[in-house]
Amino acid sequence: EECFFSSPISTSFPFWTVTVNRAITLSAGMMVAATMRSFTTQYCKLLSPLRLHAVSCRCLSSNALRMPPCAFVPEKYESLPYEHVLEVRRKNLSAALSTYYKKPLLLHQGHMQWLFDQEGQRYLDMFGGIVTVSVGHCHPKVTEAAKKQLDRLWHTTNIYLHSPIHEYAEKLTSRLPGKLKVLYMTNSGSEANDLALYMARIYTGNYDVISLRSGYHGASPYALGMTAVSAYKPGVANGLGCHTTMCPDVFRGIWGGSHCRDSPVQTSRTCSCSPGSCEAKDKYIEQLKETLETSAARSIAAFIAEPIMGVGGVVQYPKGFLKAAYEVVRERGGLCIADEVQTGFGRTGSHFWGFQTHEVMPDIVTMAKGIGNGFPMAAVVTTEEIANSFARALHFNTFGGNPIACTIGSAVLD
């Protein structure tokens, strides 16, 4: 058995991943590929200096690691052979679709927290399809609801009434506070953020929008302007009127430390702030003000931010930053957009929506990913006043709010 290190892998998603019995991804982005049952004391000596967080070397040196039992038996894989799948991937799918691992996983079936490959190997899924599988793969209650709707009605245009969208609109908006009660359905997070920016510009009559550096808000030509990660920039014109301000990262940024974070245990870096106050927050707000003074018009359309930055490194902002940023933006006539694509639907644990942890009230909320447990759907929720201004022109989405999506979304909420 061989244990080896590959070259550092390029990743856009700085999440920790553990694939049991097949590979361990380390925080440094290095991959140790080995069958865990074959680990010996010499492997442990090799791994110890790297601070392997996923498993204990003490356990590895004696007993094979075992996952919790699972009674589910996957179906036999009867589709394309693995090598043929790789050939089709190379010939017929865009090279922009990258894969992870030296030997990419060919996933065949999912059941709750488990995934199975073509050989029946079981994996504990800690990635959730990029933070999307919110209630478990093929959850039986969601699956049953989808099957019933498939037998009843797949699709009809939104110019007719169908009960699933109305049931879902009432159910979803009841989960949102204040005046956030008007729903628009789309098919992806990029579409939702596109629409949110479009709404903000129409309502305010202003054009400029501010986002945080390292933030990701989609890869469509419109949303790409709000995205501030160079890996997604193709080098062509996009995002006219979009400006970025410094990411208030107290872990890796210029200012901040253990007293600044919402969850101080997540960083041990010391800072000059006294307990209970955060000077770093004020400095990052000054950066926002400078961006507004130097890069944007006197009146702006919007400010967009995730309550916890996802792709940019799971960044938690200094205490009070988002509340202060909303105040500054509203002074310039802008709307505040909460991108809940990754943080929404209970993902943060303590609240249903990430913005609630900051004690702020956004004007527009966008959501996707966990909304449908992997079914392609997304939504924008705003106030009646903003929605009414948007109605000055026709806006139509062929698949947004289709009966199957709304039925699935409703089952996920349940």
Side-chain angles (χ1 to χ4, degrees), residues 177-182 361 382-384:
K179 297 181 180 180
L180 294 167
K181 300 301 177 187
V182 182
M361 181 66 73
T382 189
T383 67
E384 184 178 6

Side-chain angles (χ1 to χ4, degrees), residues 153 156-158 160-167 400-404 406:
L153 178 66
T156 185
T157 170
N158 287 328
Y160 305 132
L161 304 181
H162 64 83
S163 60
I165 192 172
H166 299 85
E167 292 173 5
N402 68 77
I404 297 174
C406 291

Side-chain angles (χ1 to χ4, degrees), residues 3 26 30 44 73 80 129 138 153 197 200 203 226 230 243 247 264 268 277 336 358 373 383 391 401:
C3 181
L26 304 180
M30 303 291 289
C44 293
V73 178
L80 300 175
C138 304
L153 178 66
L197 180 52
Y203 176 75
M226 298 180 282
S230 63
H243 312 281
C247 174
S268 59
S277 67
C336 297
H358 295 272
N373 199 46
T383 67

Side-chain angles (χ1 to χ4, degrees), residues 98 114 142 153 175 227 380 400 406:
S98 61
W114 306 111
V142 180
L153 178 66
R175 290 279 190 171
T227 293
V380 179
C406 291

Side-chain angles (χ1 to χ4, degrees), residues 22 77 106-108 115-123:
R22 181 62 57 87
Y77 179 78
L106 174 54
L107 297 174
H108 165 51
L115 284 170
F116 300 85
D117 66 15
Q118 83 282 7
E119 296 175 344
Q121 174 71 49
R122 178 164 56 109
Y123 301 88

Side-chain angles (χ1 to χ4, degrees), residues 221-294:
Y222 211 42
L224 193 58
M226 298 180 282
T227 293
V229 181
S230 63
Y232 293 92
K233 301 288 188 178
V236 298
N238 65 82
L240 183 63
C242 294
H243 312 281
T244 63
T245 190
M246 186 179 290
C247 174
D249 184 352
V250 299
F251 185 71
R252 293 177 300 182
I254 299 174
W255 304 291
S258 57
H259 292 160
C260 301
R261 213 138 190 204
D262 291 333
S263 179
V265 71
Q266 294 189 1
T267 178
S268 59
R269 188 170 85 166
T270 58
C271 65
S272 58
C273 306
S274 56
S277 67
C278 185
E279 298 169 16
K281 179 262 290 184
D282 297 330
K283 292 178 180 178
Y284 286 117
I285 287 296
E286 286 302 315
Q287 288 292 312
L288 171 59
K289 291 178 178 178
E290 183 177 320
T291 299
L292 290 168
E293 290 296 328
T294 58

